Amino acid sequence: RVLLPRVSTNPVLHVEAREVYAFVEKECPNLSMASHLIYEQVAWRRCLREGLAVFEMKPKDTKAVAELDHLYEEIWSGV
């Protein structure tokens, strides 16, 4: 599966993500797109700086944790 990381939260720039989805569907039929996106969140930068996973951060960034939870569910649901 193809996962789009660091997708902009700006609705205008979000168009780029839809264009990538369309391209992959048309040009790469053997690939499938992940159903969830990982958005550019401040929490991801903080995690790198502090050496922690997003779910270890205090205070917890609920949006970033939810994105990661959805990704885990999608990955492990096919196992």
Side-chain angles (χ1 to χ4, degrees):
R1 292 209 165 156
V2 177
L3 172 69
L4 296 182
R6 299 184 68 183
V7 174
S8 175
T9 55
N10 181 325
V12 174
L13 298 177
H14 194 72
V15 170
E16 294 172 346
R18 288 193 295 271
E19 289 172 352
V20 170
Y21 268 79
F23 175 82
V24 169
E25 287 178 353
K26 181 180 178 188
E27 301 296 329
C28 308
N30 57 325
L31 297 177
S32 63
M33 296 298 295
S35 62
H36 294 91
L37 302 173
I38 301 296
Y39 290 94
E40 178 64 34
Q41 303 278 358
V42 172
W44 300 115
R45 291 191 296 273
R46 285 185 50 228
C47 289
L48 289 173
R49 186 174 59 240
E50 297 182 26
L52 298 171
V54 71
F55 50 83
E56 297 174 309
M57 299 293 295
K58 302 286 187 222
K60 186 182 284 189
D61 183 311
T62 55
K63 287 182 183 179
V65 170
E67 287 177 3
L68 199 54
D69 285 342
H70 289 300
L71 178 61
Y72 286 157
E73 289 173 18
E74 183 171 352
I75 290 170
W76 294 111
S77 68
V79 174

